[in-house]
Amino acid sequence: MIDKRNFYINGQWVAPAQANDFEVINPSTEDPCAVISLGGADDTNAAVAAAKAALPGWMATPVQERIALVEKLVEIYLSRSEDLAQAMSLEMGAPIDMARTQQSGAGVYHLKNFVRAAKAFQFERPLGDHAPNDRIIYEAVGVAALITPWNWPMNQITLKVGAAAIAGCTMVLKPSEQSPLNAMIFAEMMDEAGFPAGVFNLVNGDGVGVGSQLSAHPDVDMISFTGSTRAGTAISKNAADTLKKVHLELGGKGANVVFADADEKAVKRGVLHMMNNTGQSCNAPSRMLVQRPIYDQAIETAAQVANMVSVGNAQEEGRHIGPVVNALQWNKIQDLIQKGIDEGARLVAGGTGRPEGLNKGYYVRPTVFADANNQMTIAREEIFGPVLTMIPFDTEEEAVEIANDTPYGLTNYVQTQDGSRANRMARMLRSGMVEMNGQSRSAGSPFGGMKQSGNGREGGVWGLEDFLEVKAVGGWAAE
């Protein structure tokens, strides 16, 4: 079993102030795969103190040097990508091939995009031609606490660390205790890249412990959190007394609106997108809204596709989905599938229990419900598993009404060959992101939501700006 009981604080690996061991479970087997320590208040205070002490020097470091260190980090990341993939496959159940491409690949993708954005970003700029003696300066928010989830670990860590480092913030990272091993490899990479002591610190812990301590800490200037809406609400309340900046990337219940003129692969694409990462994505297209003329055929296609999705051990190579992350999530998903049945949705694929032949591990049957309505629990709550809910609609206006009738607002999807309709839908859907006809957003596009899906944006220029304060200067002297 892997032993990772130290923290990275002030440029060195240190033992926790108090032993508080936690077993990390391999969700493919339900067996322990690692033991880590959960930090206490003394560990949190030490990490924050190191970040605070390092802040003046790091802010004063020319931005070109900060960018160069992130470029060095990219080189090291590429050399450790297999280590990262193996860790994520083991601890959170990403199938190894998917871990190598999507999970590990996401991190280097974001770091490269931040470097490109930063090189074009004016950290000092004139206010405008009308005010020759005014300047706008973008400077670091300060000490940033970064709290990341288990479902896309490197995606979220790099979206926060890359932006914060270039902006001039110093950091304390608290990764999910469910998937900490990849974060500890990342800390080794930050150390090898040569970031000054105290700029990046890592303390393992849970939300109630280290997470709460960071969000209330008077010397933390900013919290950047990705996770559940429930936890985001608690962090916001905890941070209110110190009025620190709070960035939240939370849950979603995305609508995938499939019009009658959608391309022939739209339904299959939507089902496979939903099942990717075993449905454990906040931006998953979990509600498929289908226009009535093609609704029956769409149900048949969705069921066929879901029944073809294979489920297996995350350490095995091949195209399959793995387990969900832990017993708590597995039980929650089972309860929600049963709730869908009890409330009258028609089960057309999957259902409760493990897939055939798998009697151990947190495996979920790829599941599709048809004939649902938007008031059912499975259409309201974020299930965070491989469960798709299909709802019929008649008109464009009805589709918009159903899609927007949710407390969430992260990502919506539109499938139509009518360009004008697609653009109208993009403007009317209340979400931070809209993707159409299988077209992903491009490099540097901001990721984030509205309503109970959070605030702020990650990635590219917008990700940098979230870690920057705007300072207005009048009477700027010519140099």
Side-chain angles (χ1 to χ4, degrees):
M1 189 159 55
I2 300 168
D3 191 330
K4 291 282 189 180
R5 283 183 279 197
N6 288 343
F7 303 148
Y8 186 73
I9 299 176
N10 205 27
Q12 54 188 326
W13 292 96
V14 297
Q18 180 178 341
N20 186 14
D21 288 349
F22 177 85
E23 282 188 336
V24 181
I25 304 299
N26 176 350
S28 292
T29 64
E30 301 183 40
D31 297 323
C33 64
V35 59
I36 64 169
S37 289
L38 301 182
D42 289 344
D43 304 301
T44 302
N45 290 337
V48 173
K52 183 180 179 180
L55 180 63
W58 185 239
M59 286 180 65
T61 300
V63 67
Q64 293 81 4
E65 294 181 25
R66 300 199 298 259
I67 293 171
L69 278 171
V70 174
E71 289 179 310
K72 178 65 174 176
L73 177 63
V74 169
E75 295 177 14
I76 296 166
Y77 190 111
L78 291 169
S79 72
R80 299 292 303 273
S81 59
E82 179 65 16
D83 295 337
L84 290 168
Q86 292 289 346
M88 289 183 283
S89 181
L90 179 69
E91 63 193 338
M92 57 75 59
I96 185 60
D97 286 351
M98 181 262 195
R100 287 173 176 144
T101 53
Q102 297 180 48
Q103 290 278 6
S104 179
V108 74
Y109 174 81
H110 293 312
L111 292 174
K112 287 180 176 179
N113 286 336
F114 280 132
V115 167
R116 180 169 60 248
K119 287 181 176 180
F121 191 85
Q122 287 183 283
F123 287 84
E124 293 187 8
R125 63 185 71 172
L127 174 62
D129 293 340
H130 69 289
N133 297 323
D134 280 46
R135 288 292 184 276
I136 300 298
I137 299 175
Y138 289 85
E139 69 178 31
V141 171
V143 175
L146 316 176
I147 303 176
T148 55
W150 46 262
N151 61 320
W152 287 93
M154 273 299 110
N155 182 76
Q156 293 307 136
I157 288 173
T158 54
L159 276 171
K160 299 181 191 304
V161 172
I166 290 173
C169 293
T170 55
M171 296 155 271
V172 179
L173 171 65
K174 188 210 83 64
S176 169
E177 69 276 19
Q178 305 294 330
S179 59
L181 302 179
N182 66 90
M184 300 186 85
I185 294 170
F186 186 83
E188 295 171 359
M189 292 157 47
M190 293 289 287
D191 184 75
E192 185 179 347
F195 284 85
V199 169
F200 173 86
N201 307 273
L202 180 147
V203 177
N204 281 313
D206 57 18
V208 174
V210 175
S212 294
Q213 293 155 16
L214 287 169
S215 57
H217 203 292
D219 291 332
V220 169
D221 301 295
M222 175 180 177
I223 296 282
S224 181
F225 170 77
T226 300
S228 71
T229 298
R230 175 193 53 78
T233 300
I235 284 172
S236 297
K237 291 177 179 178
N238 210 24
D241 287 343
T242 50
L243 292 176
K244 54 174 54 68
K245 186 175 184 178
V246 178
H247 170 116
L248 302 172
E249 200 281 282
L250 308 175
K253 194 66 181 176
N256 185 8
V257 184
V258 183
F259 286 94
D261 68 341
D263 68 89
E264 61 181 11
K265 295 182 180 179
V267 172
K268 179 180 180 180
R269 185 169 62 238
V271 175
L272 293 177
H273 190 172
M274 179 64 239
M275 302 301 167
N276 189 45
N277 204 38
T278 320
Q280 299 171 122
S281 301
C282 52
N283 62 340
S286 53
R287 291 180 297 154
M288 183 178 284
L289 280 50
V290 184
Q291 200 162 25
R292 212 171 290 274
I294 62 167
Y295 180 64
D296 290 341
Q297 179 59 54
I299 293 170
E300 185 177 329
T301 300
Q304 290 174 350
V305 173
N307 286 328
M308 289 172 59
V309 174
S310 59
V311 183
N313 190 301
Q315 280 76 67
E316 295 177 0
E317 296 188 349
R319 295 184 65 181
H320 58 274
I321 64 173
V324 295
V325 71
N326 57 28
L328 183 68
Q329 289 294 121
W330 191 88
N331 286 320
K332 174 193 170 187
I333 294 163
Q334 298 305 308
D335 289 346
L336 285 166
I337 292 173
Q338 186 60 52
K339 191 83 167 177
I341 295 169
D342 294 344
E343 291 184 357
R346 177 159 60 102
L347 185 68
V348 297
T352 56
R354 290 179 173 84
E356 186 176 346
L358 295 170
N359 56 18
K360 192 176 184 182
Y362 305 123
Y363 300 102
V364 176
R365 299 170 67 190
T367 297
V368 177
F369 282 103
D371 301 346
N373 64 64
N374 208 46
Q375 303 314 309
M376 290 180 176
T377 304
I378 56 172
R380 307 300 298 177
E381 294 190 16
E382 186 179 37
I383 299 173
F384 230 59
V387 181
L388 175 67
T389 301
M390 300 182 73
I391 302 171
F393 72 89
D394 289 302
T395 66
E396 182 178 319
E397 292 73 21
E398 184 185 8
V400 171
E401 182 180 355
I402 296 171
N404 287 342
D405 179 20
T406 173
Y408 297 107
L410 189 57
T411 315
N412 285 305
Y413 302 83
V414 179
Q415 319 298 328
T416 179
Q417 297 304 295
D418 184 333
S420 295
R421 174 194 280 152
N423 292 344
R424 282 196 306 273
M425 291 291 292
R427 293 186 179 99
M428 290 186 290
L429 291 170
R430 292 280 295 157
S431 56
M433 298 170 285
V434 179
E435 297 185 6
M436 297 186 283
N437 299 317
Q439 179 76 39
S440 298
R441 294 167 300 106
S442 299
S445 178
F447 187 102
M450 56 181 69
K451 300 194 285 185
Q452 291 187 27
S453 288
N455 54 50
R457 295 294 181 268
E458 293 188 313
V461 172
W462 292 270
L464 290 175
E465 289 180 343
D466 257 14
F467 286 90
L468 293 166
E469 296 280 20
V470 178
K471 179 185 287 183
V473 180
W476 186 266
E479 295 180 277

